[in-house]
Amino acid sequence: MTLALDVLRTTTFDRAKAWGDLNPEERKRRAVLAVRDQDADTLWSLTEAYLTLHGSSGTAISPRTLKAYRWAVNRYLTYAGAQAVNLLRASSSDGVRFVRTVEAEGLSASSTRVQLAGVRLFYAALRWADATQAAPFNDVKPVREKTAAWDKRSPYTHEEVQVLLEHADERMQALILLCAHGGLRISEALAIRHADINLDGRELTVRHGKGGKQRRVVIGDTLIRALNRLPEQPGSLIGGSYPAAVERLRRLCLRAGVAYRGYHALRHYAGTRLTREGASLDDVARHLGHSVLETARIYAKWSDDSLRRRVGQW
């Protein structure tokens, strides 16, 4: 565990303990007051405290997950304010309408599930504080995903990746290769620091992957050369925020004449290429940081050209 993460978890626990140490009546009073005032910061603090003290991950929950849940809670509070939803008396009908509104705005099924998990957690925290007995999301289900998993994971082709690299500056080349060769998630790539890279050992360390897990990633010559071209700087190697990185890739795709499919399609390229080149599912899962081997099987769907060859001969 890094010092920074250690400090973060200690701070999170201290905030949670402050809520947990309150007598029940005071905790209820503060929660009800925060609901009345639509105090998003206090309501999130209560939710975070409940998750930290009563969640299965405790203080080990990843910053990425906390950020996603906070996004969900803030989105629901904004919705409730606009729709005049009484938070403490919300019904299952209110819960259904919120989830359907989220879906209608074009959020993916997976992102909708994150929203649902976040608002369920929010109400669990309110019930913990005895501010309400409402559970408007307990019986709500998002619309079932109709697209097959391998169709959702359409990767960039090898030719598209090469075109993107040709049109990219040095910083974007490194970011693209971290995802397309290193198989990193965009959040992982943006967090990489010089201290995480071992050029002699031809590997880098992802400190805080999905679920807060750490892993080592093997890197090749092309990525090593790209990383070597970047100047040393304090903080993250690439720099910039996630929204800024998305905008840079959108503009790059436009210049290069490549259909924009997001950073995750670069990660899928890594998995598909490894599978096509004969890597075992275990190697693919280890490189991409999948905790479940079955997840890596999806890339075999994209790398298998046998069906295309057979039908093409008809």
Side-chain angles (χ1 to χ4, degrees), residues 16-262:
K17 191 171 180 294
W19 277 100
D21 288 345
L22 294 173
N23 69 64
E25 284 302 317
E26 178 61 16
R27 187 161 56 240
K28 177 180 179 179
R29 187 190 72 81
R30 294 188 185 187
V32 170
L33 191 63
V35 169
R36 187 200 69 184
D37 296 341
Q38 289 281 296
D39 185 345
D41 288 339
T42 298
L43 290 173
W44 168 248
S45 176
L46 172 66
T47 305
E48 181 191 53
Y50 174 79
L51 179 61
T52 302
L53 296 175
H54 298 278
S56 59
S57 297
T59 59
I61 190 166
S62 74
R64 183 171 179 265
T65 300
L66 287 173
K67 184 177 181 180
Y69 285 165
R70 183 166 192 173
W71 172 53
V73 170
N74 285 344
R75 187 171 188 156
Y76 176 63
L77 291 175
T78 299
Y79 168 86
Q83 299 297 319
V85 175
N86 185 327
L87 291 175
L88 299 184
R89 296 182 180 178
S91 66
S92 58
S93 295
D94 294 316
V96 168
R97 281 195 292 270
F98 170 70
V99 172
R100 296 296 175 258
T101 299
V102 167
E103 291 169 338
E105 291 174 357
L107 209 63
S108 68
S110 59
S111 294
T112 301
R113 287 194 293 272
V114 171
Q115 293 275 298
L116 192 52
V119 290
R120 281 174 175 161
L121 176 67
F122 169 65
Y123 271 98
L126 288 176
R127 292 193 297 275
W128 171 56
D130 201 25
T132 184
Q133 291 303 311
F137 295 99
N138 278 11
D139 297 323
V140 178
K141 297 180 180 179
V143 171
R144 182 176 297 177
E145 179 59 62
K146 297 179 180 179
T147 306
W150 52 88
D151 286 337
K152 290 192 299 177
R153 286 169 164 76
S154 175
Y156 291 100
T157 66
H158 180 72
E159 291 73 22
E160 287 174 330
V161 171
Q162 299 313 304
V163 170
L164 289 175
L165 290 172
E166 290 170 6
H167 286 78
D169 60 23
E170 291 182 346
R171 182 168 69 146
M172 274 303 290
Q173 286 176 352
L175 183 56
I176 288 169
L177 289 167
L178 282 169
C179 298
H181 284 196
L184 272 61
R185 301 173 179 88
I186 180 58
S187 58
E188 296 169 345
L190 291 174
I192 290 294
R193 299 168 177 259
H194 272 283
D196 299 328
I197 301 169
N198 179 359
L199 295 178
D200 292 334
R202 300 173 68 83
E203 66 179 23
L204 59 80
T205 301
V206 174
R207 302 289 178 188
H208 317 302
K210 190 173 183 178
K213 296 178 181 177
Q214 178 174 302
R215 74 179 187 278
R216 292 179 180 176
V217 177
V218 176
I219 56 178
D221 292 337
T222 307
L223 178 51
I224 288 173
R225 287 194 295 269
L227 294 174
N228 270 329
R229 288 193 292 267
L230 295 180
E232 288 202 28
Q233 61 182 20
S236 64
L237 187 67
I238 302 299
S241 64
Y242 170 74
V246 169
E247 183 59 28
R248 293 202 303 270
L249 182 57
R250 286 187 184 276
R251 292 177 181 177
L252 175 59
C253 286
L254 187 62
R255 291 198 308 272
V258 173
Y260 172 80
R261 293 198 286 281

